[in-house]
Amino acid sequence: MSTQLSTPTDRQSAEALARSKGEPQWLVDLRGEAAELAGTLEWPKPEKIRIDRWNLTAVGNYEQGQAAASVGELPSVVTELVAEGTESLIVQQNSSIAWKQLSADLTAKGVIFTDLETACKEHADLVQPYLFKAIDKGDNKLTALHAALWNGGVFVYVPRNVEVELPLQAILFNNKSEAAFAPHILIVAESNSKVTYVDYVVSEPGTTTEPFVHHSVVEVFVKSGAHVRFGSIHHMADNGVDLTLRRSIIENDGRMEWVIGDLNDGNTLSDTTSHLKGNGSNSDAKVITIGQNDQKMSLTTQAVHFGRSSESDMVTRAVMKDSATAIINGITKIEKGATKANGVQTEKVLMLSPKARGDANPILLIDEDDVKAGHAASVGQVNPEQVYYLMSRGITKQDAERLIIYGFLAPVVSEIPIDAVREQLQRLLERKLEG
Amino acid sequence: MATQFVIDGLKAAIEGKEILKGINLEIKGGEIHAIMGPNGTGKSTLASALMGHPKYEVTEGTAVLNGEDLLEMGVDERARAGLFLAMQYPSEIPGVTNSDFLRSAINARREEGNEISLIKFIRQMEGKMKELEMNPEFAHRYLNEGFSGGEKKRNEILQMTLLDPKIVVLDEIDSGLDIDALKIVSNGVNAMRSEDRGFLIITHYQRLLNYITPDFVHVMMQGRIVKSGGPELAQRLENEGYDWVKEELGIVDETVGQA
Ligand SMILES: Nc1ncnc2c1ncn2[C@@H]1O[C@H](COP(=O)(O)OP(=O)(O)OP(=O)(O)O)[C@@H](O)[C@H]1O
Ligand SMILES: [Mg+2]
C-alpha cells in the first residue's frame, strides 16, 4: 500500500500552519520538530494487530470553523448530550472550537477550562511545562504526528485545594471527513484538588462520507493528594480510524480514575496508561468495548508502579459480535523500589459470535519482591445457567441475554457521572447490541 | 378457575442417565405438598425438569397446569403460565440490579405498552421487601451477587410474592436460613396461601413444616415417590430417619443415577 509510505506533514507546512493560527514561537518550534520526527519514526506496533495496514494517512486538513452563538445552534449529536443549565462545556467541531463556557464560580476560584489552542497563547506558563511531558512527542510516528498536527483540544487547570463539584464536560465531534480532527486533552490538577472531566468523542451520523483518522493524546497530571476522574466515550463512524493514547502521571497520594467506553464503529487503537510515580498513589481504570462487523481493535490498559504502596486496578470488558477482532492487553509493571505496591487487572471477553475474535493478554512485569499483583482473564459466552434463571421468572430468552450483556458492561455505564451522557451511552449500547 | 396441577408419569434424564423414573402427583389450589427424601434421590431434578432446565431431558410424561402441558413450553412460557421455582442454588447475575430484574420479570407478564409504572413498581417492591424484612439496599444490589445463602433465599421469596404464581415449587428454601429468617420466609409463604395457588415444598427438615403445615407429605427415593401421607409422616421421618421406610419397601440404595 502506498499510503503507509508517506507522512502527511513536514516541518515547513506544520510550522506554517502554526504561524497562520498565531501560535507562540515555542509551539511553532515544537510542531516543526515533531513534524520532522514523524517522517523518521515508525507507527506503534501493538500485539497481534497490524495497524500499519489501516488507512492512517487520512488525517485531513485544518479547517477554521465558526464558533456557535449558542449551544442550541449546534447539531443534535451535541445538544442531546447537554443537560439544561450546563455551565461548564467545551465543544470542538472538526479542527476548531465551536463553543466554550465555564461557570462564573469556577472562574472565580482560578479554575481554567478552555480549548488548548487558546491556553497555549493565554496560559503558556501553565501549559508549556506539561504539554507532551506525559507522552513524549518522539515516542513513535503517532505521537510525533499528533504533536505536529493537534488542533482545538481542551485544557483543564485546577489550582491547589480547589474541589470542582460538578463534572466539566467536553463534546468533540466531526462532521466532515476532510477536516482534521485531532484534539489534545491536557489536565493539570494541583495538590489536593479534585475534578471530574467527561468527554464524548463522536461523528455526527451520516456526515463523514470518506475515510478519516482521529488521533488524540490525553495527558493528565495528578499532583500530590489530588483526585482526577476522567470519563470518555468514543463513538466515531465505521470509516474512521481512532488512535487515542491516554496517560496520567500520579504524584504522592494522588488518585486517578479512568472510565472509558471505546465504542467506535471503526478500527481503534486505544492505550490508557497510569504512571504511579508517587508513594501511595492510586489508579483505577475501567474500559468497555463492543466489537461489531469486521472492526479491528487494539485496547491496552497499563499501570506502571514507581511509588511505594502504590495501587492500581484495571478492568476491561469486551462484547464481541460478527467477525470483529479485539486484542486486549493489560500490563501491570512494578519497578524496583516500588515496595508494597499492589496491581490487579481483569480482562473479560463475552463472545456473541463464533466468527469474532477476542484475545485477552494479561502481562505482569515485576522487578520488586515485596509487592502484590494479580490478574484474571476470561473469554466466554453468555452463561446458560444465568439465562435459565432469568427465563424461569418469565423473561424471554432474548431479553434475558440482553440483561446479562448489559450487566456485563455495567461497571463502566454506572460510573459515568453526567446523566445526559450516561443516558446517551445507554442508547448507544442498545443500538450497538441490537443492530 | 381453581388451580389444578397434575404430574403424570414424569421421567427425566440427565446426560443420558435416567433420574426420574415416573413421578405421579396432583396438586390442587390451596394445597401444600411437601417432598422429603435423602440426598441424591431426585428431588431437585423433579423441580428442574418441571421448570425446563436445559440439561434435563424429559423422556416421558406430562405436567398439566390448568389444562396446559408445561412440558411442551419454553422455560419462560412455563413461568408466565404460572409456575414458580425457588431454586436450591439461585444464579448470581453481575451488573443487573435486583430491581431492574424484578421489573423485567413483571413486565414480561404484561402486554407491550401496558408496562407497570415505575412508581407503582417501586411501591410494590418496597412494600414486599419490608414484609420480608429485607434491607431496601438490596433493590439496588446486583442480582444475588455476593448475597449470603439466607439473603438469596429471601430474594427468591421476594420474587415469588411479586410474581403471583399459581404453582410454587420451593427447593430447600429453608437451607441457610437462621431461625428468624425461617419465620419471616414461612410467614411470606403462608400469606400467599390461597385457593388458586398450590405449593410443592422440598425440604429435609420438620422445622420448616412446623411453620408451614403441609396437607400431604411425600417421600422420594430412587427417582420415585415411594410413600405418601399426612403431616404425621414428616414427624416420624424427623424422629426416626429413613431406615424404616427403606426396610418397609425393601430398598437398599435409595439414591438414583450414581452407578
Ligand atoms: N447437572 C447434573 N449433572 C450430573 N448429575 C446430576 C446433575 N443434576 C443431578 N444429577 C444427579 O442426579 C441425582 C439426583 O440429584 P438431585 O439434585 O435431584 O438430588 P436431590 O434429591 O435434590 O438431593 P439433595 O437433597 O442433596 O438436594 C444425583 O445422583 C445427582 O448427582
Ligand atoms: Mg436438591
Side-chain angles (χ1 to χ4, degrees), chain A residues 350 352 382-383 386-387 390-391 395-407 433:
Chain A
L350 194 56
L352 300 187
V382 176
N383 179 341
Q386 295 178 338
V387 175
L390 295 179
M391 287 178 75
I395 297 170
T396 61
K397 183 166 194 196
Q398 198 187 344
D399 284 348
E401 291 178 342
R402 202 176 46 91
L403 278 170
I404 292 164
I405 296 165
Y406 284 119
L433 291 170

Side-chain angles (χ1 to χ4, degrees), chain A residues 117-149:
Chain A
E117 288 197 31
T118 299
C120 286
K121 296 173 191 165
E122 295 179 1
H123 305 283
D125 54 324
L126 293 175
V127 173
Q128 204 181 347
Y130 298 105
L131 191 63
F132 291 102
K133 293 300 191 296
I135 293 189
D136 191 275
K137 65 181 188 302
D139 275 359
N140 52 51
K141 195 186 203 71
L142 172 58
T143 56
L145 193 67
H146 177 76
L149 297 178

Side-chain angles (χ1 to χ4, degrees), chain A residues 95-355:
Chain A
S95 315
S96 65
I97 292 304
W99 178 261
K100 61 176 169 179
Q101 192 186 355
L102 177 64
S103 75
D105 171 48
L106 291 177
T107 310
K109 285 181 173 152
V111 173
I112 301 170
F113 181 54
T114 185
D115 65 282
L116 187 60
E117 288 197 31
T118 299
C120 286
K121 296 173 191 165
E122 295 179 1
H123 305 283
D125 54 324
L126 293 175
V127 173
Q128 204 181 347
Y130 298 105
L131 191 63
F132 291 102
K133 293 300 191 296
I135 293 189
D136 191 275
K137 65 181 188 302
D139 275 359
N140 52 51
K141 195 186 203 71
L142 172 58
T143 56
L145 193 67
H146 177 76
L149 297 178
W150 69 266
N151 51 39
V154 177
F155 179 59
V156 176
Y157 179 83
V158 188
R160 287 176 78 99
N161 302 326
V162 172
E163 296 198 358
V164 179
E165 296 289 336
L166 293 173
L168 303 176
Q169 186 177 5
I171 299 162
L172 315 163
F173 79 103
N174 70 337
N175 57 3
K176 187 174 176 188
S177 303
E178 300 76 18
F181 180 37
H184 188 102
I185 317 299
L186 177 60
I187 299 176
V188 179
E190 295 284 11
S191 305
N192 300 316
S193 68
K194 192 171 175 183
V195 67
T196 299
Y197 164 90
V198 177
D199 68 24
Y200 207 97
V201 184
V202 60
S203 304
E204 188 181 355
T207 57
T208 49
T209 48
E210 296 296 318
F212 67 92
V213 173
H214 163 270
H215 54 96
S216 181
V217 167
V218 175
E219 298 183 280
V220 183
F221 293 85
V222 183
K223 298 299 181 68
S224 56
H227 182 174
V228 176
R229 294 175 75 198
F230 180 98
S232 184
I233 308 299
H234 283 214
H235 179 224
M236 279 169 283
D238 60 356
N239 54 359
V241 166
D242 182 11
L243 307 171
T244 295
L245 308 177
R246 309 176 183 96
R247 189 167 302 170
S248 73
I249 309 285
I250 312 161
E251 309 280 350
N252 291 349
D253 303 312
R255 175 166 172 78
M256 178 74 210
E257 289 173 50
W258 303 100
V259 180
I260 311 289
D262 277 318
L263 297 165
N264 296 307
D265 293 343
N267 292 352
T268 302
L269 172 75
S270 160
D271 181 315
T272 304
T273 297
S274 288
H275 281 195
L276 296 124
K277 222 177 109 187
N279 298 334
S281 61
N282 187 312
S283 163
D284 185 289
K286 295 190 175 73
V287 180
I288 57 165
T289 191
I290 297 175
Q292 62 184 32
N293 301 324
D294 55 358
Q295 213 183 339
K296 298 201 167 23
M297 298 189 280
S298 167
L299 309 176
T300 300
T301 51
Q302 278 190 74
V304 188
H305 293 252
F306 301 93
R308 278 178 274 125
S309 303
S310 53
E311 292 191 6
S312 68
D313 189 356
M314 307 190 287
V315 175
T316 301
R317 296 196 166 197
V319 176
M320 300 307 297
K321 299 171 40 173
D322 309 322
S323 51
T325 299
I327 308 297
I328 297 160
N329 307 302
I331 304 170
T332 305
K333 185 156 197 322
I334 302 184
E335 304 285 349
K336 185 102 198 119
T339 50
K340 306 262 185 294
N342 184 4
V344 293
Q345 54 163 305
T346 312
E347 292 85 34
K348 280 193 179 173
V349 184
L350 194 56
M351 301 295 283
L352 300 187
S353 153
K355 282 185 278 174

Side-chain angles (χ1 to χ4, degrees), chain B residues 39-40 42-45 88-89 171-172 202 204:
Chain B
N39 295 131
K43 302 180 300 296
S44 292
T45 303
Q88 188 172 358
Y89 304 109
D171 192 356
E172 294 198 23
I202 297 168
H204 285 294

Side-chain angles (χ1 to χ4, degrees), chain B residues 40 56 113 127-129 139 142 154 156 175 182 192 197-198 207 222 225 237 246 250 254 257:
Chain B
Y56 297 80
K128 300 291 186 195
M129 288 180 78
Y142 292 149
R154 229 182 273 208
E156 294 288 286
S175 75
L182 187 67
M192 293 280 287
R197 191 168 5 252
R207 56 172 196 188
Q222 298 178 327
I225 291 174
L237 292 172
K246 288 163 69 176
E254 72 280 11

Side-chain angles (χ1 to χ4, degrees), chain B residues 119-189:
Chain B
I119 298 188
K120 194 170 168 205
F121 164 72
I122 289 174
R123 212 184 302 126
Q124 272 186 20
M125 179 182 61
E126 286 180 346
K128 300 291 186 195
M129 288 180 78
K130 203 165 178 181
E131 285 171 26
L132 293 169
E133 297 184 24
M134 288 174 77
N135 187 329
E137 204 189 279
F138 279 88
H140 310 293
R141 292 266 301 265
Y142 292 149
L143 179 51
N144 291 331
E145 194 186 42
F147 286 28
S148 73
E151 288 162 353
K152 282 183 183 163
K153 296 297 166 127
R154 229 182 273 208
N155 207 38
E156 294 288 286
I157 295 301
L158 173 66
Q159 295 169 42
M160 173 191 79
T161 60
L162 282 169
L163 296 178
D164 193 25
K166 297 196 180 81
I167 288 290
V168 175
V169 181
L170 305 176
D171 192 356
E172 294 198 23
I173 196 68
D174 49 338
S175 75
L177 290 184
D178 64 41
I179 295 161
D180 291 340
L182 187 67
K183 278 187 208 165
I184 292 162
V185 162
S186 304
N187 288 341
V189 171

Side-chain angles (χ1 to χ4, degrees), chain A residues 4-26:
Chain A
Q4 40 183 298
L5 299 174
S6 65
T7 300
T9 187
D10 55 46
R11 183 184 270 269
Q12 223 176 0
S13 44
E15 287 181 355
L17 175 60
R19 270 193 217 97
S20 75
K21 290 197 279 180
E23 290 181 352
Q25 191 57 43
W26 62 268

